Amino acid sequence: MPIDPLSHTFAALADPTRRAILARLALGEATVSELAAPFPVSVQAVSKHLKVLERAGLVTRAKAAQQRPARLRAQPLGEADAWLEHYRAFWATRFDQLADHLHDIQKGTVR
Amino acid sequence: MPIDPLSHTFAALADPTRRAILARLALGEATVSELAAPFPVSVQAVSKHLKVLERAGLVTRAKAAQQRPARLRAQPLGEADAWLEHYRAFWATRFDQLADHLHDIQKGTVR
DNA sequence: TGGTTGTACAACCGACTGGTTGTATACTGC
DNA sequence: GCAGTATACAACCAGTCGGTTGTACAACCA
């Protein structure tokens, strides 16, 4: 488990259930039970997912003991986006495909 | 290990060494040994990282057996970016902070 | 008071991770 | 053919993951 925040963010996003939880939270805060309802997993599993998201700073929890609704905190997503930004030129301009093509030409594979 | 491509992409990005490898590859293709040089890990470890990146479709390898330089393939990054896109409004407009604020007001915590 | 609900904590499981070392293969150059 | 180089494969390790079940606690409701 890495120490840098960006790794935590990407790791938190690397699970479809957690991304679905974030999508749900984008609509507004929700309790653990509400979040667990649409998924075929136990409430405890969702609670664990929330803990991962919390560690990544992607959600905050209310303090009340009985109900601790989770809320989306998008700032780390902004940081992930900023990292991706550096590579945007590559796919935006099909730079990688261009590079592939040039490479193939150089190799004489195609012309 | 999830089956959806997006999870593979985010998982591949959730490691500083792999992100550094991508950054290096953004400058041009490189062999395993070249990629391993700046890192305090073994060549084999880098080879493993490359395999993870390959599985995520983020790099392609040449075919030659003796030297199989890796090249960046940015398309999956574009898909990750497209996912983040949905949440861009949240941090771009400080929407989450606004939501926090509204919530606090509602709670009477602050006015 | 007691029952129900919402949540957390702990233990366990099988699978994967990131790293190592050791061994093997394949090409290059002498 | 032989030495060196580049890479891969396999086994192993400790640690983490995503999931489960069981237990416990705190807060509401009757």
Side-chain angles (χ1 to χ4, degrees):
Chain A
M1 79 214 89
I3 13 83
D4 63 303
L6 203 45
S7 296
H8 278 135
T9 303
F10 281 128
L13 296 181
D15 183 285
T17 303
R18 283 196 291 265
R19 289 198 303 278
I21 288 176
L22 288 181
R24 167 63 187 81
L25 289 181
L27 306 175
E29 67 178 38
T31 68
V32 176
S33 334
E34 286 167 356
L35 288 172
F39 299 106
V41 300
S42 66
V43 176
Q44 283 87 339
V46 171
S47 183
K48 274 193 174 186
H49 280 306
L50 274 180
K51 196 162 279 179
V52 174
L53 292 168
E54 222 177 337
R55 190 183 59 177
L58 283 165
V59 310
T60 57
R61 308 288 305 275
K63 297 119 222 105
Q66 192 194 10
Q67 272 182 315
R68 316 215 301 108
R71 257 183 296 159
L72 180 63
R73 191 173 152 268
Q75 188 228 314
L77 293 180
E79 288 158 13
D81 186 67
W83 186 87
L84 281 175
E85 178 81 43
H86 298 140
Y87 298 87
R88 191 157 295 147
F90 279 85
W91 73 81
T93 65
R94 301 292 188 189
F95 225 32
D96 53 336
Q97 294 186 14
L98 176 62
D100 280 8
H101 189 56
L102 290 175
H103 187 268
D104 288 342
I105 288 177
Q106 203 176 13
K107 279 267 187 97
T109 317
V110 292
R111 320 247 308 282
Chain B
M1 78 210 92
I3 11 82
D4 64 303
L6 204 46
S7 295
H8 277 135
T9 303
F10 281 128
L13 295 180
D15 183 285
T17 304
R18 282 196 291 266
R19 289 198 303 278
I21 288 176
L22 288 181
R24 167 64 187 80
L25 289 180
L27 307 175
E29 68 178 36
T31 67
V32 176
S33 335
E34 285 167 357
L35 288 172
F39 299 106
V41 299
S42 66
V43 176
Q44 282 89 338
V46 171
S47 183
K48 274 194 174 184
H49 280 306
L50 274 180
K51 198 162 278 180
V52 173
L53 292 169
E54 223 178 333
R55 190 182 56 176
L58 283 165
V59 309
T60 56
R61 309 291 304 277
K63 296 119 225 103
Q66 192 194 9
Q67 270 182 317
R68 317 215 300 109
R71 258 184 295 161
L72 180 63
R73 191 173 151 269
Q75 188 228 313
L77 294 179
E79 288 158 13
D81 186 67
W83 186 88
L84 281 175
E85 179 81 42
H86 299 142
Y87 299 86
R88 190 156 295 148
F90 278 84
W91 73 82
T93 64
R94 299 293 185 191
F95 224 31
D96 52 336
Q97 293 187 14
L98 176 61
D100 281 7
H101 188 56
L102 290 175
H103 187 268
D104 288 342
I105 289 177
Q106 203 175 13
K107 278 269 187 94
T109 318
V110 292
R111 323 242 311 278

Coordinates of all heavy atoms in Angstrom, one line a residue, chain B residues 1 15 18 41-42 44-45 48-49 55 65-66, chain C residues 15-23 26-28:
Chain B
M1 N -9.5 -9.7 -9.0 CA -9.1 -9.1 -10.3 C -10.3 -8.9 -11.2 O -10.9 -9.8 -11.6 CB -8.1 -10.0 -11.0 CG -8.8 -11.1 -11.6 SD -8.2 -12.7 -11.9 CE -8.8 -13.6 -10.5
D15 N 0.1 2.8 -8.8 CA 1.5 2.4 -8.3 C 2.4 3.5 -8.9 O 2.5 3.7 -10.1 CB 1.9 1.0 -8.8 CG 3.2 0.6 -8.2 OD1 4.2 1.1 -8.8 OD2 3.3 -0.2 -7.3
R18 N 4.8 2.4 -11.6 CA 4.2 2.2 -12.9 C 3.9 3.6 -13.6 O 4.1 3.8 -14.8 CB 2.9 1.4 -12.8 CG 3.2 -0.1 -12.7 CD 2.0 -1.0 -13.0 NE 1.0 -0.9 -12.0 CZ 0.9 -1.7 -11.0 NH1 1.7 -2.7 -10.8 NH2 -0.1 -1.6 -10.1
V41 N 14.7 -1.1 -8.0 CA 14.1 -2.5 -8.0 C 14.8 -3.3 -9.1 O 15.4 -2.7 -10.0 CB 12.6 -2.5 -8.2 CG1 11.9 -1.7 -7.1 CG2 12.2 -2.0 -9.5
S42 N 14.6 -4.6 -9.0 CA 15.2 -5.5 -10.0 C 14.6 -5.3 -11.4 O 13.5 -4.8 -11.5 CB 15.1 -6.9 -9.5 OG 13.8 -7.3 -9.5
Q44 N 13.5 -7.8 -13.1 CA 12.3 -8.6 -13.1 C 11.1 -7.9 -12.5 O 10.0 -8.1 -13.1 CB 12.6 -9.9 -12.2 CG 13.5 -10.9 -12.9 CD 14.9 -10.7 -12.6 OE1 15.3 -9.5 -12.3 NE2 15.8 -11.7 -12.7
A45 N 11.3 -7.1 -11.5 CA 10.2 -6.4 -10.9 C 9.6 -5.5 -12.0 O 8.4 -5.4 -12.1 CB 10.6 -5.6 -9.7
K48 N 7.6 -7.3 -14.4 CA 6.2 -7.6 -13.9 C 5.3 -6.3 -14.0 O 4.2 -6.5 -14.4 CB 6.4 -8.0 -12.4 CG 6.6 -9.4 -12.2 CD 6.4 -9.7 -10.7 CE 6.5 -11.2 -10.3 NZ 6.1 -11.4 -8.9
H49 N 5.9 -5.2 -13.7 CA 5.1 -3.9 -13.8 C 4.6 -3.8 -15.3 O 3.5 -3.4 -15.5 CB 5.9 -2.7 -13.4 CG 6.0 -2.6 -11.9 ND1 4.8 -2.5 -11.1 CD2 7.0 -2.4 -11.0 CE1 5.2 -2.3 -9.8 NE2 6.5 -2.3 -9.8
R55 N -1.4 -5.7 -19.6 CA -2.8 -6.2 -19.4 C -3.8 -5.1 -19.4 O -4.9 -5.3 -19.9 CB -2.8 -6.9 -18.0 CG -4.1 -7.8 -17.8 CD -4.1 -8.4 -16.4 NE -4.0 -7.4 -15.4 CZ -4.0 -7.8 -14.1 NH1 -4.2 -9.0 -13.7 NH2 -3.9 -6.8 -13.1
A65 N 12.7 -11.0 -29.7 CA 12.9 -11.8 -28.5 C 13.9 -11.1 -27.6 O 13.8 -11.1 -26.4 CB 13.2 -13.2 -28.8
Q66 N 15.0 -10.7 -28.3 CA 16.1 -10.2 -27.5 C 15.8 -8.8 -26.9 O 16.1 -8.6 -25.7 CB 17.4 -10.1 -28.3 CG 18.6 -9.9 -27.5 CD 19.8 -9.5 -28.3 OE1 19.6 -9.2 -29.5 NE2 20.9 -9.4 -27.7
Chain C
dA15 P -8.5 -19.5 -4.8 OP1 -9.3 -20.0 -5.9 OP2 -7.3 -20.3 -4.3 O5' -8.1 -18.0 -5.1 C5' -9.1 -17.0 -5.4 C4' -8.4 -15.7 -5.6 O4' -8.0 -15.2 -4.3 C3' -7.2 -15.7 -6.5 O3' -7.3 -14.7 -7.5 C2' -6.0 -15.4 -5.6 C1' -6.7 -14.6 -4.4 N9 -6.0 -14.8 -3.2 C8 -5.7 -15.9 -2.5 N7 -5.0 -15.8 -1.4 C5 -5.0 -14.4 -1.2 C6 -4.4 -13.5 -0.3 N6 -3.8 -14.0 0.8 N1 -4.5 -12.2 -0.5 C2 -5.1 -11.8 -1.6 N3 -5.7 -12.4 -2.6 C4 -5.6 -13.8 -2.3
dC16 P -6.4 -14.6 -8.7 OP1 -7.2 -14.4 -9.9 OP2 -5.4 -15.8 -8.6 O5' -5.5 -13.3 -8.4 C5' -6.3 -12.1 -8.1 C4' -5.3 -11.1 -7.4 O4' -5.0 -11.7 -6.1 C3' -4.0 -10.9 -8.2 O3' -4.0 -9.5 -8.5 C2' -2.9 -11.3 -7.2 C1' -3.7 -11.2 -5.8 N1 -3.1 -12.1 -4.8 C2 -2.5 -11.5 -3.6 O2 -2.6 -10.3 -3.5 N3 -2.0 -12.3 -2.7 C4 -2.0 -13.7 -2.8 N4 -1.5 -14.4 -1.9 C5 -2.6 -14.3 -4.0 C6 -3.1 -13.5 -5.0
dT17 P -2.8 -8.8 -9.3 OP1 -3.3 -7.8 -10.2 OP2 -2.0 -9.9 -9.9 O5' -1.9 -8.1 -8.2 C5' -2.4 -7.3 -7.2 C4' -1.4 -6.8 -6.3 O4' -1.0 -7.8 -5.4 C3' -0.1 -6.4 -7.1 O3' 0.2 -5.0 -6.9 C2' 1.0 -7.3 -6.4 C1' 0.4 -7.8 -5.2 N1 0.7 -9.3 -4.9 C2 1.3 -9.6 -3.7 O2 1.7 -8.7 -2.9 N3 1.5 -10.9 -3.5 C4 1.1 -12.0 -4.3 O4 1.3 -13.1 -4.0 C5 0.4 -11.6 -5.5 C7 0.0 -12.6 -6.5 C6 0.2 -10.3 -5.7
dG18 P 1.2 -4.3 -7.8 OP1 0.8 -2.9 -7.8 OP2 1.3 -5.1 -9.0 O5' 2.6 -4.4 -7.0 C5' 2.7 -3.8 -5.7 C4' 4.0 -4.2 -5.2 O4' 4.0 -5.6 -4.8 C3' 5.2 -4.1 -6.1 O3' 6.3 -3.4 -5.5 C2' 5.5 -5.5 -6.5 C1' 5.1 -6.3 -5.3 N9 4.8 -7.7 -5.5 C8 4.1 -8.2 -6.6 N7 3.9 -9.5 -6.5 C5 4.5 -9.8 -5.3 C6 4.6 -11.1 -4.7 O6 4.3 -12.2 -5.1 N1 5.3 -11.0 -3.5 C2 5.8 -9.8 -2.9 N2 6.4 -10.0 -1.8 N3 5.7 -8.7 -3.5 C4 5.0 -8.7 -4.7
dG19 P 7.5 -3.0 -6.3 OP1 8.1 -1.8 -5.8 OP2 7.2 -3.1 -7.8 O5' 8.6 -4.2 -6.1 C5' 9.3 -4.2 -4.9 C4' 9.7 -5.6 -4.4 O4' 8.6 -6.5 -4.5 C3' 10.8 -6.3 -5.2 O3' 12.1 -5.7 -4.9 C2' 10.6 -7.7 -4.7 C1' 9.1 -7.8 -4.4 N9 8.5 -8.7 -5.3 C8 7.8 -8.4 -6.5 N7 7.3 -9.4 -7.1 C5 7.7 -10.5 -6.3 C6 7.4 -11.9 -6.4 O6 6.8 -12.5 -7.3 N1 8.0 -12.6 -5.4 C2 8.7 -12.1 -4.4 N2 9.2 -12.9 -3.4 N3 8.9 -10.8 -4.2 C4 8.4 -10.1 -5.2
dT20 P 13.3 -6.1 -5.8 OP1 14.4 -5.2 -5.5 OP2 12.9 -6.3 -7.2 O5' 13.7 -7.6 -5.3 C5' 14.0 -7.8 -3.9 C4' 14.1 -9.3 -3.6 O4' 12.8 -9.9 -4.0 C3' 15.1 -10.1 -4.4 O3' 16.3 -10.2 -3.7 C2' 14.5 -11.5 -4.6 C1' 13.0 -11.2 -4.4 N1 12.2 -11.5 -5.6 C2 11.7 -12.8 -5.9 O2 12.0 -13.7 -5.1 N3 11.0 -12.9 -7.0 C4 10.6 -11.9 -7.9 O4 9.9 -12.1 -8.9 C5 11.1 -10.6 -7.5 C7 10.8 -9.4 -8.4 C6 11.9 -10.4 -6.4
dT21 P 17.6 -10.6 -4.5 OP1 18.7 -10.5 -3.5 OP2 17.7 -9.9 -5.8 O5' 17.4 -12.1 -4.8 C5' 17.3 -13.1 -3.7 C4' 17.1 -14.5 -4.3 O4' 15.9 -14.5 -5.0 C3' 18.2 -14.9 -5.3 O3' 18.8 -16.2 -4.9 C2' 17.6 -14.9 -6.6 C1' 16.1 -15.2 -6.2 N1 15.2 -14.6 -7.2 C2 14.3 -15.4 -7.9 O2 14.2 -16.6 -7.7 N3 13.5 -14.8 -8.8 C4 13.5 -13.4 -9.1 O4 12.7 -12.9 -9.9 C5 14.4 -12.6 -8.4 C7 14.5 -11.1 -8.6 C6 15.2 -13.2 -7.5
dG22 P 20.1 -16.7 -5.6 OP1 20.9 -17.2 -4.5 OP2 20.6 -15.7 -6.6 O5' 19.5 -17.9 -6.5 C5' 18.3 -18.6 -6.1 C4' 17.8 -19.4 -7.3 O4' 16.8 -18.7 -8.0 C3' 18.9 -19.8 -8.3 O3' 18.7 -21.2 -8.6 C2' 18.6 -18.9 -9.4 C1' 17.1 -18.8 -9.4 N9 16.7 -17.5 -10.0 C8 17.2 -16.3 -9.8 N7 16.5 -15.3 -10.5 C5 15.6 -16.1 -11.2 C6 14.6 -15.6 -12.1 O6 14.3 -14.5 -12.5 N1 13.8 -16.7 -12.6 C2 13.9 -18.0 -12.2 N2 13.1 -18.9 -12.7 N3 14.8 -18.4 -11.3 C4 15.6 -17.4 -10.9
dT23 P 19.8 -21.9 -9.6 OP1 19.9 -23.3 -9.1 OP2 20.9 -21.0 -9.8 O5' 18.9 -22.0 -11.0 C5' 17.6 -22.7 -10.9 C4' 17.0 -22.5 -12.3 O4' 16.6 -21.1 -12.5 C3' 17.8 -22.9 -13.5 O3' 17.1 -23.8 -14.3 C2' 18.1 -21.6 -14.2 C1' 16.9 -20.8 -13.8 N1 17.1 -19.3 -13.9 C2 16.2 -18.6 -14.7 O2 15.3 -19.1 -15.3 N3 16.5 -17.2 -14.7 C4 17.5 -16.6 -14.0 O4 17.6 -15.3 -14.1 C5 18.4 -17.4 -13.2 C7 19.5 -16.8 -12.5 C6 18.1 -18.7 -13.2
dA26 P 14.3 -20.5 -27.3 OP1 12.9 -20.8 -27.8 OP2 15.3 -21.5 -27.4 O5' 14.8 -19.2 -27.8 C5' 14.1 -18.0 -27.5 C4' 15.0 -16.8 -27.8 O4' 16.0 -16.6 -26.7 C3' 15.8 -17.0 -29.1 O3' 15.8 -15.8 -29.8 C2' 17.2 -17.2 -28.5 C1' 17.2 -16.4 -27.3 N9 18.2 -16.7 -26.3 C8 18.6 -18.0 -25.8 N7 19.5 -18.0 -24.9 C5 19.8 -16.7 -24.8 C6 20.8 -16.0 -24.0 N6 21.6 -16.6 -23.1 N1 20.8 -14.6 -24.0 C2 20.0 -14.0 -24.9 N3 19.1 -14.5 -25.7 C4 19.1 -15.9 -25.6
dC27 P 15.8 -15.9 -31.4 OP1 14.5 -15.4 -31.9 OP2 16.4 -17.2 -31.8 O5' 16.9 -14.7 -31.7 C5' 16.6 -13.4 -31.3 C4' 17.9 -12.8 -30.8 O4' 18.5 -13.6 -29.8 C3' 19.0 -12.6 -31.8 O3' 19.1 -11.2 -32.1 C2' 20.3 -13.1 -31.2 C1' 19.9 -13.2 -29.7 N1 20.6 -14.3 -29.0 C2 21.6 -13.9 -28.0 O2 21.8 -12.7 -27.9 N3 22.3 -14.9 -27.3 C4 22.0 -16.1 -27.5 N4 22.7 -17.0 -26.8 C5 21.0 -16.6 -28.5 C6 20.3 -15.6 -29.1
dT28 P 20.0 -10.6 -33.3 OP1 19.4 -9.3 -33.7 OP2 20.2 -11.7 -34.3 O5' 21.4 -10.3 -32.6 C5' 21.4 -9.3 -31.6 C4' 22.8 -9.1 -31.1 O4' 23.2 -10.2 -30.3 C3' 23.9 -9.0 -32.2 O3' 24.6 -7.8 -32.0 C2' 24.7 -10.2 -32.1 C1' 24.5 -10.6 -30.6 N1 24.6 -12.1 -30.4 C2 25.4 -12.5 -29.4 O2 26.1 -11.8 -28.7 N3 25.4 -13.9 -29.2 C4 24.6 -14.8 -29.9 O4 24.7 -16.0 -29.6 C5 23.8 -14.3 -30.9 C7 22.9 -15.2 -31.7 C6 23.8 -13.0 -31.1

